Amino acid sequence: MRGPARAFLGTFAVLALLVVCACGAGPGGDAATLRVMVPNTPGGGYDTTARTAARVLEETGIASGVQVFNLPGAGGTVGLKRVVDEKGNGELALQMGLGVVGASHAAGAKVSVADTTPIARLIEEAGAVVVREDSPYRTIGALVDAWREDPGRLRVGGGSFAGGPDHLLPMELAQAVGIDPRKVAYVPYDGGGDLLPALLDGRVDVATSGFGEFLDQIRGGRLRVLAVTGERPVGVLPGVPTLRSSGIDLVFENWRGIVAPPGISDTERRRWVDALTELHGSRRWRAELRRHGWTDVFATGRAFETFLARQDAQVAGLVRRLVPE
């Protein structure tokens, strides 16, 4: 099922902020300090994309002095509420994506992405089913066979709370292979930075997350990817099959993007979009896309607004169906 889970990118909270920085001075004539909020702990996908975008913006001269900071909590909804509460603040943006959308519905949050100003969707990343190198599960088929025999015994870790992509992925995977999602022993962590040590030290048996969060450990031979969840194999993971090529009818892709507080001016929004467009067109950014295995799905304006509204509605339905009451 492709479902709303198909998706895309984002680290561009940084970008958005940078735009303002590149375009003028703050109050009193001093250069504005642009801040990009990452709504989970350091080391995860949001954090990596935001800090990568900030660095490229600096290196290319598109913007300077961008600050990236972490405000974790409740699957990203603490950060979402903070951004919504910062109405009219043209110096703050939120790095977000499918996880924040899902968490806002699963947690019954009082705010949603519909309350923000959409800026840009930039990247899409396939999920991955990952185990330690010494795991007894050498293929996705072997793991699924063991999972079917005793669904509650296999501890599945993810860097999302209920409603986030790392949670929805194993629920959809379970359903695709004939396992009741309610029997999945899912263990949530607040981002890939917290999930990685849990997988390495054996607190979980398998992780479902974006593969980019584990690339160093995969390349170093400490972790093994059993399958990726996109339409096609991933170039940075040679030899790793997709779920579909392994006989499992499921496609699941995550996305990341950037939103700003409500009530910003048209000029501020245009500056952000212009800066992100410049970033998107840079050779250094294209090099980062290749290095991280990210898929370029750049969209701004009406295209991103429409996508975000559709995702919000689709994910709400998916959460109702797959997240236990």
Side-chain angles (χ1 to χ4, degrees), residues 126-130 169 207-212 214 218 225-229 237 252:
V129 181
V130 186
L169 170 53
T208 52
S209 189
F211 64 85
F214 304 123
I218 294 166
V225 183
L226 301 183
V228 292
T229 67
L237 298 173
F252 187 106

Side-chain angles (χ1 to χ4, degrees), residues 6 17-18 37 66 69 126 130 140 158 167 182 191 196 206 254 262 268 286 294 296 305-306 320:
R6 237 201 123 85
L17 303 180
L18 302 176
M37 183 193 306
V66 180
F69 70 101
V130 186
I140 187 66
H167 171 255
R182 293 172 297 181
L196 176 59
V206 58
N254 189 17
E268 289 170 325
R286 290 196 296 272
W294 292 333
D296 179 11
E305 290 179 30
T306 300
R320 285 193 298 269

Side-chain angles (χ1 to χ4, degrees), residues 73-78 99-111 161-164 319 323-324:
T77 57
V78 169
V100 172
V101 177
S104 69
H105 291 290
K110 295 182 179 180
V111 295
F161 290 97
V319 167
V323 176

Side-chain angles (χ1 to χ4, degrees), residues 110-154:
K110 295 182 179 180
V111 295
S112 75
V113 294
D115 300 311
T116 68
T117 299
I119 300 297
R121 182 183 70 159
L122 277 169
I123 64 157
E124 188 173 75
E125 180 183 61
V129 181
V130 186
V131 296
R132 292 182 305 281
E133 188 280 332
D134 62 353
S135 169
Y137 309 116
R138 310 297 296 182
T139 66
I140 187 66
L143 183 139
V144 167
D145 288 344
W147 202 15
R148 285 187 180 123
E149 288 182 10
D150 191 352
R153 183 178 178 182
L154 193 75

Side-chain angles (χ1 to χ4, degrees), residues 41-101:
T41 55
Y46 288 156
D47 192 66
T48 299
T49 49
R51 294 181 190 279
T52 300
R55 175 172 52 78
V56 173
L57 285 167
E58 298 265 356
E59 291 173 350
T60 56
I62 297 171
S64 62
V66 180
Q67 296 180 2
V68 179
F69 70 101
N70 300 79
L71 184 65
T77 57
V78 169
L80 177 62
K81 185 176 187 303
R82 166 72 179 277
V83 164
V84 172
D85 288 345
E86 292 277 344
K87 183 176 181 179
N89 184 351
E91 299 175 11
L92 178 68
L94 177 69
Q95 169 71 70
M96 52 76 70
L98 177 61
V100 172
V101 177

Side-chain angles (χ1 to χ4, degrees), residues 172-198:
E172 288 211 63
L173 178 57
Q175 188 166 265
V177 299
I179 296 170
D180 185 344
R182 293 172 297 181
K183 295 182 179 180
V184 175
Y186 180 75
V187 185
Y189 294 89
D190 198 0
D194 288 347
L195 172 61
L196 176 59

